[in-house]
Amino acid sequence: MPRLEMLPIEAGDEITAAVFETFRAEGRDPIALYRVLAHSPQMLRAYAGLARGLRYEAATPRALRELMILRTAQLTGSSYEWAHHRAMAEANGVPAEKVRALEAWRSSSLFDERERAALRCVEEIHAVALSDEAFAALEELMGAPATIELVLLASFYEAVSRIIPALGL
């Protein structure tokens, strides 16, 4: 049960209405998290801006980003994030076999070098211990812009996995 009321999908202010419009453009209603964050429209807008940027403006492959989000959901025990992003992973070409093997990615032959570097990054950020070696491997394989995207992504979804239970979602 949410700790704050989920506000209606018909927003009462311009900021929330603009954020919720992005969901309608995707053919869906605003999710529960956004409907609770709407209690603070300015923070909703800031949150949604980073989320949208990581989802639609990043140059790294969406499938790779969804794998990272799913691994974060596993590590943090976020069933909410898992449920939302499992469908997004499938829609963006992540094979079900790879999702099933995600927890054992280190020993699976299904993951390529870039995926391994990104998943190592996720695990080390989760442990609040991103090593110089993991960062360097990611940068060498992906380049500096992609490294920034993926570090932001992993860190953002660590935060999301803490925001969700804090709000009772």
Side-chain angles (χ1 to χ4, degrees):
M1 184 90 184
R3 290 181 167 162
L4 293 171
E5 173 188 11
M6 283 195 299
L7 296 179
I9 60 174
E10 297 306 323
D13 66 274
E14 290 180 21
I15 293 172
T16 303
V19 172
F20 285 8
E21 182 55 37
T22 63
F23 281 89
R24 286 188 193 87
E26 294 174 348
R28 59 192 182 121
D29 287 333
I31 60 174
L33 174 59
Y34 281 63
R35 291 178 61 196
V36 171
L37 290 176
H39 283 279
S40 177
Q42 292 83 0
M43 291 300 101
L44 170 64
R45 179 174 52 200
Y47 176 94
L50 183 53
R52 189 175 47 259
L54 290 169
R55 187 171 297 144
Y56 299 116
E57 297 173 22
T60 52
R62 179 76 185 266
L64 174 65
R65 288 180 277 134
E66 291 300 335
L67 276 175
M68 292 176 70
I69 295 166
L70 289 176
R71 185 64 184 133
T72 300
Q74 285 178 331
L75 293 168
T76 61
S78 180
S79 57
Y80 184 102
E81 281 303 303
W82 181 268
H84 282 274
H85 285 275
R86 178 60 194 100
M88 291 180 194
E90 182 179 331
N92 285 280
V94 177
E97 178 184 33
K98 196 172 270 191
V99 172
R100 285 191 300 273
L102 188 55
E103 199 164 2
W105 67 269
R106 288 181 185 272
S107 60
S108 173
S109 62
L110 296 173
F111 299 91
D112 65 28
E113 191 176 25
R114 290 174 145 203
E115 291 166 333
R116 291 177 182 286
L119 293 169
R120 178 181 178 190
C121 176
V122 165
E123 291 189 357
E124 291 188 12
I125 285 175
H126 175 72
V128 192
L130 182 59
S131 66
D132 290 342
E133 295 81 17
F135 187 92
L138 195 60
E139 184 182 12
E140 182 179 316
L141 289 166
M142 307 286 284
T147 298
I148 293 298
E149 286 179 12
L150 299 179
V151 166
L152 279 173
L153 180 87
S155 300
F156 178 78
Y157 280 95
E158 279 287 327
V160 172
S161 71
R162 282 146 176 79
I163 292 166
I164 290 166
L167 295 175
L169 299 172

